Amino acid sequence: MAMNLAQKLIKSHLVSGSLEPGSPIEIKIDQTLAQDGTGTLVMLELEALGLSQIKTELSAQYVDHNLLQTDFKNADDHLFLQSACRKFGLWFSRPGNGVSHPVHMACFDIPGKTLLGADSHTCAAGSMGMLAIGAGGLQVAMAIAGVPFALKMPKVLGVKLEGELPPWVSAKDIILEMLRRQTVKGCVNKIVEYHGPGLANLTAMDRHVIANMGQEMGTTASVFPADEAVKAFLKQQHRESDYVEMKADEGASYDEEDTINLSDLEPLIACPSSPDKVVTVREVAGRPIYQSYIGSSANPGLRDFAIPARIVAGRRLADDVSFDINPTSRQLLEELSRSGDLTKLLEVGARLHQTGCGGCIGMGQAPATGRISLRTVPRNFPGRSGTADDQVYLCSPETATASALKGVITDPRDLDMDYPSFSEPEYLPDIRPLLQPPQEIPVAVELIKGPNIKPLPNFDKLPNILTGPLLLKAGDNVSTDEILPAGAEILPLRSNIPAISRYTFSRIDENFYQRAMKLNGDCFVVGGENYGQGSSREHAAVSSRFLGVRCIIAKSMARIHRRNLINFGVLPLLFENFDDYDRIEQDSILEIDKPIAQLKSNNSVKLLIKSSGETINLRSDLSADEIEVLEAGGMINQVREKYLSNEK
Amino acid sequence: MAMNLAQKLIKSHLVSGSLEPGSPIEIKIDQTLAQDGTGTLVMLELEALGLSQIKTELSAQYVDHNLLQTDFKNADDHLFLQSACRKFGLWFSRPGNGVSHPVHMACFDIPGKTLLGADSHTCAAGSMGMLAIGAGGLQVAMAIAGVPFALKMPKVLGVKLEGELPPWVSAKDIILEMLRRQTVKGCVNKIVEYHGPGLANLTAMDRHVIANMGQEMGTTASVFPADEAVKAFLKQQHRESDYVEMKADEGASYDEEDTINLSDLEPLIACPSSPDKVVTVREVAGRPIYQSYIGSSANPGLRDFAIPARIVAGRRLADDVSFDINPTSRQLLEELSRSGDLTKLLEVGARLHQTGCGGCIGMGQAPATGRISLRTVPRNFPGRSGTADDQVYLCSPETATASALKGVITDPRDLDMDYPSFSEPEYLPDIRPLLQPPQEIPVAVELIKGPNIKPLPNFDKLPNILTGPLLLKAGDNVSTDEILPAGAEILPLRSNIPAISRYTFSRIDENFYQRAMKLNGDCFVVGGENYGQGSSREHAAVSSRFLGVRCIIAKSMARIHRRNLINFGVLPLLFENFDDYDRIEQDSILEIDKPIAQLKSNNSVKLLIKSSGETINLRSDLSADEIEVLEAGGMINQVREKYLSNEK
């Protein structure tokens, strides 16, 4: 039977299960990546597991998040990660090399391989004909230890691209159009596979832009074929020999289908404060802006910086605009410098920032009070920029640059100039020699742990009768940024669970931590639809669990956070009837009798509201293995028993 | 009578007084500068004074300190400063243009002029044949309002430079040699004037390095002649027409004299944690380092970055070293990019940071716990880097770079290579068009004040009987970094005195703020020698006053902080007998009866220790005008009455 590319990629890595959508499968993971914000826990987990050497083909650790170093904590983390790479046999990419996704793409992406990354935007590698999935750190640690990755076989949404992008419209507008259609939850448990004649004019980096922000629609993975564009990219990176053609079989079909005619697109923009609040730029044109921000893994290509440079060349930036240039990688920065495009940006008054994730994760560059910031980044969740009441719009580099010149939101087609020409150079600087490879002969390496690096807390099993108050009732689309914020103050605490837990739910309820500490016992949290969307940070789950949250009840849940909750022994349950959401009040005492037994018997549980004596039916979509993890009190407990006993 | 250049500069600007060392003088100020860390208070002070337009020839406001923007506060400050420049008629330099001192040098330094700057390193402009003095923000505000600057005529120390620097030895080693000789307090109330044949091979930027760190010896100003080197610099900046020859009269003499033979110098390094703990690099060679840091106003020249680039070209950085490149100005960064030197740095693995003050003021790039950081910055006071127990060494770019390659402190002469050649380009990119000029026709401009920008508190006059506990007894060389730290957490509070005051003395006594709030009344602080050295931040004085500190008693006091205390109504008094320092215990209740009357009658006061009934004789070196300021309860009160009544 003719298979689409997503199916082929899964089939070639299938360890168990069938390709029937919804059925549990396990797949072999070839490569992993982590960044420093998630990687310190991954390494602590590898240490807790007692791993000697990685069991993947390749695993890489990047340092791109915590680069501000306002005290010792970030620097200590970097040294810890470097020592852990030496100990366990990972590649180490030092601060300054760039954001994990484009650097991994340049150095390690190979068509046909699987990649599991402790960063939600790992799906970007789908641009290279890979199956690339973001996951919580613990699952990446497990993959490093050789454990297959378990998930439910997703549906595959085939998106046929036709036509050709008009001038001033670029890849970002394609993914914004997808978000307009799909919203932030339209692709949960789906793989989005792009195909069709419209691909012909999209470079591998253009596809990276689209694949990356697949995460914003809730996709499990974004998939593109590996074709001539991928071959040209690999040649640019001096590794054409890694090229393998990957494409759907002739006549393959999809579980769902959609079509975008690129010729019909115009510049789009996502309004505050959700990536799916997409309108045409012209609908909001004229609003004064404070900031125009170029960079992040959502627009990491050379053209995403070179086109802005060629737009501004010889012009004058609006006096009131901060034009922030965030190079995504060292390779890109070197090339911009060599080509003269960097000079064009500097001459006009742009601010050049350190290579890395920067303001995209709230690590600097926060906008002024009440002012508009235009950004090429993937997300604009409330407060993610660092400014609590921020007004962040997501758009293409072209729109951001036109607006920086005019001082107001501007459709780039309204600039009085021709669309600048850009062609990809045949070769780019070879960046791989700057990464530190695993040692060929492993030697005893001591982990370097600064005073902020604390061991993982031990978490006990679920009680036989789970009782506690509903400590927080939240609404729809709660993101992991709201469960546990990032930003310059909090990100440096990623290696210290007790310390970072103070900020749990602080964006929603600033007294949550105090109330949880006062309770000092088990409790529940309720959410609406798409609970836990956004970043893959497992700290959102770990800190919830650390404060006693044993069960989350929601209308629907985002894939990665749901699994992170399971990994740390927190029950993720769903309302059978959405109306029941309104029947529970904050502070009600709730109870579940023998939760594990109920789940085992029929994958559902009865929730008792103790004050009224009423019960509510909750369903779960847990696999047998996931129930086993919950029964063990989390994945570390489970894997210690199940896998480590083998290794020893 | 033949005059030295310092005397000529003062005489040409003298408003009152005589050139007799120690006698009170007033001088006309031609230009002022401020940075954002000090400038927001300057602007609030101008507003409080009701100024309409600046009365200097030129005043400029830079944004170089608070660039991290981890929330809305920094960005709000930038918009406030921009609006204030428009209102009062100052030049505005946007974030990304660079550090105030090299940018002011490139754009505005004119030989023969006076410059008062709300930044202690303003003395750097002495490299251009100017009289350039750092001062508290309030005095800069007064200068902007046309008030002459009052000081005591300093002694002039003439330093004759002979010979020529050997390869691998550069300007930084000259000022480190000066610090070795003079210590951090050897030049208090002195101007250091450099002269002699050794100047011939020092460019204007080399002289900037030396002039800048004059501050670290306590100098009032550093002075160099304006000669061919200055002319070449002005030509480079497209303003040769601003050149005026400035030099000492033939046969001029100095109050004190010293000589340095440049040919005898070798690479030097200041050990933790004081700029005067200077030894030869070879004495500490071999110690492993975590960080090598290039940048800051202490090494802001093109050669300070180009030489490191040419040293590392084609080599490999030590795996464990963070090689941090902090471009001092947009002009420099553009030129490094154009020349290919930037590529050399990036290729080897350097981290390129945002243009500005960066880690020098603890705004990022803090070193790891217990690890050594080599920096080309001017100061290594404890904790200034952001890491409390830091190990910061100060050295030349050559030493920092050699050590980055080797991973251990390395004398650059021990690299197996020839000293790279460098020659200054004839022209540099013209940066001035990127600064925003004052509006030719002033228009009504509203000041833009974000929620963190608070008005200056009102401070009342000294009580007739000053009584209170000795709330803190500190040791020698207390820096303004210890009185009120900078760094990423605290700097953003510079526009909010009540908020920033929480951190007063926190580096010395973390409970000081709580004790002061509990006391809620007048109190005393005692220090040893050189109290208040370092940064010019008037916040150190304002926050002391805000917490009730009405009198500081020390063995000796640094010039700028002493005057800041006076400006905000805090008595700066000195022990007549140093032994008396040991006679006062912390928490003793102290009392001064009619302090102003005592000062007016004989510039000294009797301090009563109430518990023992003993008295201690304290002297003061206050001028009549300074006593008037103290009597008024601070300079704002005084000037409101004395000058503003004229304007209205």
Side-chain angles (χ1 to χ4, degrees):
Chain A
M1 194 193 110
M3 286 194 293
N4 57 51
L5 179 53
Q7 291 168 330
K8 290 171 76 173
L9 286 164
I10 290 174
K11 189 167 182 212
S12 63
H13 290 82
L14 202 62
V15 175
S16 73
S18 83
L19 298 193
E20 183 65 27
S23 67
I25 58 172
E26 289 184 306
I27 55 173
K28 176 180 179 295
I29 296 299
D30 300 322
Q31 301 186 351
T32 70
L33 69 77
Q35 30 87 352
D36 50 316
T38 57
T40 55
L41 264 198
V42 171
M43 297 303 191
L44 289 169
E45 288 154 358
L46 292 181
E47 187 190 26
L49 290 171
L51 186 80
S52 54
Q53 282 283 300
I54 67 160
K55 303 203 187 300
T56 49
E57 295 176 9
L58 180 146
S59 288
Q61 173 64 55
Y62 299 88
V63 180
D64 56 12
H65 273 56
N66 286 334
L67 299 180
L68 289 190
Q69 294 177 226
T70 58
D71 66 15
F72 65 97
K73 292 198 279 296
N74 295 165
D76 282 6
D77 278 355
H78 305 167
L79 294 178
F80 169 64
L81 290 171
Q82 188 186 32
S83 71
C85 286
R86 287 179 179 155
K87 182 177 178 72
F88 299 121
L90 290 85
W91 283 80
F92 178 71
S93 176
R94 73 196 320 158
N97 282 350
V99 176
S100 63
H101 309 299
V103 179
H104 199 88
M105 185 180 176
C107 297
F108 302 122
D109 273 8
I110 296 178
K113 298 286 184 187
T114 53
L115 168 68
L116 195 73
D119 187 283
S120 63
H121 290 113
T122 302
C123 51
S127 55
M128 295 286 284
M130 296 177 74
L131 182 72
I133 303 177
L138 186 51
Q139 286 187 278
V140 172
M142 295 303 142
I144 291 174
V147 179
F149 179 66
L151 74 165
K152 286 191 178 160
M153 177 66 199
K155 285 186 179 175
V156 185
L157 164 62
V159 177
K160 186 175 186 183
L161 302 180
E162 296 178 337
E164 194 176 342
L165 290 171
W168 299 105
V169 182
S170 62
K172 187 62 156 280
D173 299 304
I174 302 176
I175 188 64
L176 288 172
E177 172 64 15
M178 283 295 294
L179 272 154
R180 194 184 66 73
R181 296 182 185 190
Q182 296 289 344
T183 79
V184 291
K185 58 188 187 214
C187 294
V188 173
N189 292 326
K190 291 178 195 169
I191 294 176
V192 182
E193 179 172 330
Y194 297 87
H195 62 102
L199 285 176
N201 294 301
L202 297 178
T203 66
M205 266 299 179
D206 291 336
R207 299 171 188 187
H208 181 121
V209 172
I210 299 164
N212 181 287
M213 281 182 71
Q215 167 60 21
E216 272 48 71
M217 306 184 291
T219 50
T220 300
S222 311
V223 170
F224 282 84
D227 57 12
E228 288 303 312
V230 170
K231 191 174 178 180
F233 179 85
L234 286 167
K235 183 179 174 193
Q236 242 182 349
Q237 305 297 340
H238 313 270
R239 48 188 196 96
E240 201 176 346
S241 61
D242 281 341
Y243 177 66
V244 187
E245 190 185 61
M246 296 295 302
K247 58 179 185 180
D249 293 337
E250 200 76 40
S253 66
Y254 298 91
D255 300 308
E256 296 176 13
E257 305 213 22
D258 199 2
T259 301
I260 297 179
N261 188 332
L262 305 183
S263 311
D264 293 343
L265 291 183
E266 64 175 303
L268 297 173
I269 192 163
C271 298
S273 290
S274 181
D276 60 359
K277 294 179 82 171
V278 176
V279 299
T280 66
V281 174
R282 284 203 172 135
E283 282 179 71
V284 292
R287 296 182 186 176
I289 70 168
Y290 157 77
Q291 182 175 52
S292 171
Y293 180 115
I294 309 284
S296 92
S297 68
N299 270 109
L302 182 60
R303 57 93 55 210
D304 295 326
F305 295 79
I307 299 239
R310 294 166 197 198
I311 293 173
V312 299
R315 288 160 200 267
R316 189 174 167 86
L317 205 60
D319 276 350
D320 296 345
V321 173
S322 183
F323 189 36
D324 292 276
I325 306 297
N326 288 266
T328 348
S329 71
R330 181 186 299 282
Q331 182 182 59
L332 170 95
L333 184 54
E334 278 185 43
E335 182 60 24
L336 288 174
S337 178
R338 196 205 54 73
S339 69
D341 286 317
L342 182 62
T343 307
K344 293 186 181 76
L345 291 165
L346 292 171
E347 279 174 351
V348 78
R351 291 169 73 175
L352 180 69
H353 295 273
Q354 186 179 187
T355 305
C357 298
C360 176
I361 45 141
M363 201 47 102
Q365 304 170 62
T369 302
R371 304 282 170 141
I372 288 175
S373 170
L374 259 58
R375 300 183 168 209
T376 68
V377 306
R379 290 183 181 139
N380 58 350
F381 299 140
R384 184 175 159 99
S385 70
T387 295
D389 55 348
D390 57 10
Q391 297 288 312
V392 177
Y393 291 68
L394 310 178
C395 64
S396 71
E398 289 85 346
T399 299
T401 308
S403 305
L405 287 174
K406 296 295 185 185
V408 296
I409 297 180
T410 301
D411 186 315
R413 295 172 300 176
D414 295 338
L415 288 178
D416 189 22
M417 64 181 291
D418 290 333
Y419 192 43
S421 69
F422 171 82
S423 50
E424 288 284 343
E426 194 175 357
Y427 292 100
L428 285 169
D430 189 4
I431 189 85
R432 202 154 122 166
L434 279 171
L435 274 65
Q436 296 170 22
Q439 304 186 45
E440 288 191 16
I441 303 156
V443 290
V445 175
E446 204 183 329
L447 292 174
I448 300 172
K449 288 186 188 169
N452 183 53
I453 299 174
K454 303 292 187 199
L456 271 177
N458 279 319
F459 293 130
D460 60 1
K461 299 185 181 191
L462 279 167
N464 207 26
I465 300 169
L466 176 60
T467 311
L470 173 58
L471 210 58
L472 182 73
K473 185 175 174 185
D476 289 341
N477 294 319
V478 169
S479 73
T480 49
D481 273 302
E482 288 162 294
I483 300 173
L484 187 70
E489 186 181 354
I490 306 175
L491 269 171
L493 301 172
R494 283 284 176 98
S495 315
N496 188 338
I497 300 300
I500 204 169
S501 295
R502 293 183 168 271
Y503 298 92
T504 313
F505 292 114
S506 58
R507 286 264 169 80
I508 300 175
D509 174 355
E510 60 183 17
N511 296 316
F512 185 86
Y513 175 75
Q514 279 73 20
R515 293 193 290 116
M517 293 306 281
K518 192 175 164 200
L519 173 67
N520 192 24
D522 298 338
C523 63
F524 291 72
V525 165
V526 159
E529 291 211 63
N530 198 23
Y531 181 86
Q533 69 165 333
S535 159
S536 74
R537 68 192 66 158
E538 68 183 335
H539 295 77
V542 185
S543 70
S544 296
R545 172 66 188 88
F546 184 77
L547 296 185
V549 179
R550 307 300 296 256
C551 176
I552 307 277
I553 305 163
K555 293 180 183 172
S556 63
M557 223 172 264
R559 177 183 60 85
I560 301 177
H561 184 63
R562 172 188 168 282
R563 178 65 208 207
N564 284 335
L565 291 170
I566 295 168
N567 287 349
F568 289 93
V570 182
L571 284 169
L573 300 176
L574 303 169
F575 288 105
E576 203 160 288
N577 301 307
F578 282 11
D579 291 348
D580 288 341
Y581 173 89
D582 297 317
R583 290 174 58 204
I584 323 185
E585 304 286 329
Q586 188 160 313
D587 299 329
S588 303
I589 304 299
L590 307 179
E591 188 170 295
I592 300 175
D593 187 44
K594 301 189 189 63
I596 297 296
Q598 287 197 61
L599 288 169
K600 280 185 175 173
S601 90
N602 55 4
N603 227 337
S604 69
V605 303
K606 296 253 180 241
L607 176 77
L608 173 67
I609 305 173
K610 291 199 80 167
S611 55
S612 64
E614 290 179 79
T615 60
I616 286 176
N617 291 330
L618 302 175
R619 65 187 181 84
S620 102
D621 52 0
L622 295 161
S623 69
D625 179 67
E626 287 171 339
I627 294 173
E628 189 184 307
V629 172
L630 285 166
E631 186 171 18
M635 203 176 186
I636 292 187
N637 298 345
Q638 184 217 23
V639 172
R640 267 210 202 103
E641 298 160 20
K642 192 169 168 182
Y643 292 88
L644 271 208
S645 48
N646 295 353
E647 184 160 90
K648 277 177 188 161
Chain B
M1 196 191 111
M3 286 196 292
N4 57 50
L5 179 52
Q7 291 168 330
K8 289 170 77 172
L9 285 165
I10 291 172
K11 186 163 185 216
S12 63
H13 290 82
L14 203 62
V15 175
S16 73
S18 84
L19 299 193
E20 184 63 30
S23 69
I25 59 172
E26 289 183 306
I27 55 174
K28 176 180 176 295
I29 297 300
D30 300 322
Q31 300 185 351
T32 70
L33 69 78
Q35 31 88 348
D36 50 316
T38 57
T40 55
L41 262 197
V42 171
M43 297 303 189
L44 289 169
E45 288 154 357
L46 292 181
E47 186 190 25
L49 290 169
L51 186 81
S52 53
Q53 281 284 299
I54 66 161
K55 302 205 187 301
T56 50
E57 294 175 9
L58 179 145
S59 289
Q61 172 65 52
Y62 299 88
V63 181
D64 56 12
H65 273 56
N66 286 333
L67 299 181
L68 289 191
Q69 296 179 222
T70 58
D71 65 15
F72 65 95
K73 294 198 277 293
N74 294 166
D76 282 6
D77 278 356
H78 305 166
L79 293 178
F80 170 63
L81 290 170
Q82 187 185 33
S83 71
C85 286
R86 285 179 181 155
K87 182 177 177 76
F88 300 122
L90 291 84
W91 284 79
F92 178 72
S93 177
R94 71 194 322 158
N97 281 349
V99 177
S100 65
H101 310 299
V103 178
H104 200 88
M105 183 179 177
C107 296
F108 301 123
D109 273 7
I110 295 176
K113 297 286 184 187
T114 53
L115 169 68
L116 195 73
D119 186 284
S120 62
H121 291 112
T122 302
C123 50
S127 56
M128 295 286 285
M130 296 177 74
L131 182 73
I133 302 177
L138 186 51
Q139 283 185 281
V140 172
M142 296 304 144
I144 292 173
V147 179
F149 180 66
L151 72 167
K152 286 194 176 156
M153 178 67 198
K155 285 187 177 174
V156 184
L157 163 63
V159 177
K160 187 176 185 182
L161 302 180
E162 294 179 337
E164 194 175 341
L165 289 171
W168 300 104
V169 182
S170 62
K172 187 62 157 279
D173 298 305
I174 302 176
I175 188 65
L176 288 173
E177 171 65 14
M178 284 293 295
L179 272 155
R180 194 185 65 76
R181 298 182 185 191
Q182 296 288 343
T183 79
V184 291
K185 56 189 189 215
C187 294
V188 174
N189 291 327
K190 291 179 193 167
I191 293 175
V192 181
E193 180 171 329
Y194 297 88
H195 61 102
L199 285 176
N201 294 301
L202 297 177
T203 66
M205 265 297 177
D206 291 335
R207 300 172 189 187
H208 182 119
V209 173
I210 300 165
N212 181 288
M213 281 183 69
Q215 167 60 19
E216 272 49 70
M217 307 184 291
T219 48
T220 301
S222 310
V223 170
F224 282 84
D227 57 13
E228 289 302 312
V230 169
K231 192 174 179 180
F233 179 85
L234 287 168
K235 184 178 172 195
Q236 242 183 349
Q237 305 296 339
H238 313 271
R239 48 189 196 93
E240 201 176 347
S241 61
D242 282 340
Y243 178 66
V244 187
E245 190 186 61
M246 297 295 303
K247 56 178 185 179
D249 291 337
E250 200 76 41
S253 66
Y254 297 92
D255 301 307
E256 297 176 13
E257 305 214 23
D258 199 2
T259 301
I260 296 178
N261 188 333
L262 305 184
S263 310
D264 294 342
L265 291 184
E266 63 175 302
L268 297 173
I269 193 164
C271 297
S273 291
S274 180
D276 59 0
K277 294 179 82 170
V278 175
V279 299
T280 65
V281 173
R282 285 201 171 137
E283 283 179 72
V284 291
R287 297 182 185 176
I289 71 168
Y290 157 77
Q291 182 175 53
S292 172
Y293 180 114
I294 309 285
S296 92
S297 69
N299 270 110
L302 183 59
R303 56 94 52 211
D304 296 325
F305 294 79
I307 299 244
R310 294 165 197 199
I311 293 173
V312 298
R315 290 160 199 267
R316 190 176 168 86
L317 204 61
D319 275 349
D320 296 345
V321 173
S322 183
F323 188 36
D324 290 278
I325 306 297
N326 286 267
T328 348
S329 71
R330 181 186 299 281
Q331 183 181 58
L332 169 95
L333 183 55
E334 278 184 43
E335 183 61 24
L336 288 174
S337 178
R338 197 204 54 72
S339 68
D341 286 316
L342 181 62
T343 306
K344 293 186 181 76
L345 291 165
L346 292 172
E347 279 174 350
V348 79
R351 289 169 73 175
L352 180 69
H353 294 273
Q354 187 179 185
T355 306
C357 298
C360 175
I361 45 142
M363 200 47 101
Q365 304 170 62
T369 303
R371 305 280 171 142
I372 289 176
S373 170
L374 258 59
R375 301 184 167 207
T376 67
V377 306
R379 290 181 182 144
N380 58 350
F381 299 139
R384 183 175 160 98
S385 70
T387 295
D389 55 348
D390 57 10
Q391 297 287 314
V392 177
Y393 291 67
L394 310 179
C395 63
S396 71
E398 288 85 347
T399 299
T401 308
S403 306
L405 287 175
K406 297 295 186 187
V408 297
I409 297 179
T410 302
D411 186 315
R413 295 172 299 176
D414 295 338
L415 288 178
D416 187 22
M417 64 180 291
D418 290 334
Y419 193 42
S421 71
F422 172 82
S423 51
E424 287 283 345
E426 192 175 358
Y427 292 101
L428 284 169
D430 189 4
I431 189 85
R432 200 154 125 166
L434 280 172
L435 275 65
Q436 294 170 23
Q439 304 187 47
E440 290 192 14
I441 303 154
V443 289
V445 175
E446 204 182 329
L447 292 174
I448 299 172
K449 288 187 189 168
N452 184 54
I453 300 173
K454 304 291 186 198
L456 271 176
N458 279 318
F459 293 129
D460 59 2
K461 299 185 181 193
L462 280 168
N464 208 28
I465 301 170
L466 177 60
T467 311
L470 174 56
L471 210 58
L472 182 74
K473 185 174 176 186
D476 288 342
N477 294 318
V478 170
S479 75
T480 49
D481 273 302
E482 287 163 295
I483 300 173
L484 187 68
E489 186 182 355
I490 306 174
L491 269 171
L493 301 172
R494 283 284 178 95
S495 315
N496 187 339
I497 299 302
I500 204 169
S501 296
R502 293 183 168 271
Y503 299 91
T504 312
F505 292 115
S506 58
R507 286 261 168 82
I508 301 176
D509 174 356
E510 59 183 16
N511 297 317
F512 185 86
Y513 175 76
Q514 279 73 21
R515 294 193 288 114
M517 291 308 281
K518 192 175 163 198
L519 173 68
N520 193 22
D522 298 340
C523 63
F524 291 74
V525 165
V526 159
E529 290 211 66
N530 199 24
Y531 181 85
Q533 70 166 333
S535 159
S536 73
R537 68 193 65 160
E538 67 183 335
H539 296 77
V542 184
S543 70
S544 297
R545 172 66 188 88
F546 184 77
L547 296 185
V549 180
R550 307 301 296 255
C551 177
I552 307 278
I553 304 163
K555 293 180 183 171
S556 63
M557 223 171 266
R559 177 183 60 85
I560 300 177
H561 185 62
R562 171 189 170 280
R563 178 65 208 209
N564 284 335
L565 291 170
I566 295 167
N567 287 349
F568 289 92
V570 181
L571 283 170
L573 300 176
L574 303 169
F575 288 104
E576 203 160 290
N577 301 307
F578 282 9
D579 294 346
D580 289 340
Y581 172 88
D582 298 317
R583 290 175 56 206
I584 323 186
E585 304 285 331
Q586 188 160 311
D587 299 329
S588 304
I589 305 297
L590 307 179
E591 187 170 294
I592 300 174
D593 187 42
K594 301 188 188 67
I596 298 297
Q598 286 196 61
L599 288 169
K600 278 186 175 171
S601 90
N602 55 4
N603 227 337
S604 68
V605 304
K606 297 252 181 241
L607 176 76
L608 173 67
I609 305 173
K610 291 200 81 169
S611 55
S612 64
E614 291 179 77
T615 60
I616 286 177
N617 290 332
L618 302 176
R619 64 187 183 84
S620 102
D621 52 1
L622 296 160
S623 69
D625 178 67
E626 288 171 340
I627 294 171
E628 190 183 307
V629 172
L630 285 166
E631 185 170 20
M635 203 175 187
I636 292 187
N637 297 345
Q638 183 216 26
V639 172
R640 266 209 203 104
E641 298 161 19
K642 193 168 168 183
Y643 292 88
L644 272 209
S645 49
N646 296 353
E647 185 160 87
K648 276 172 185 162

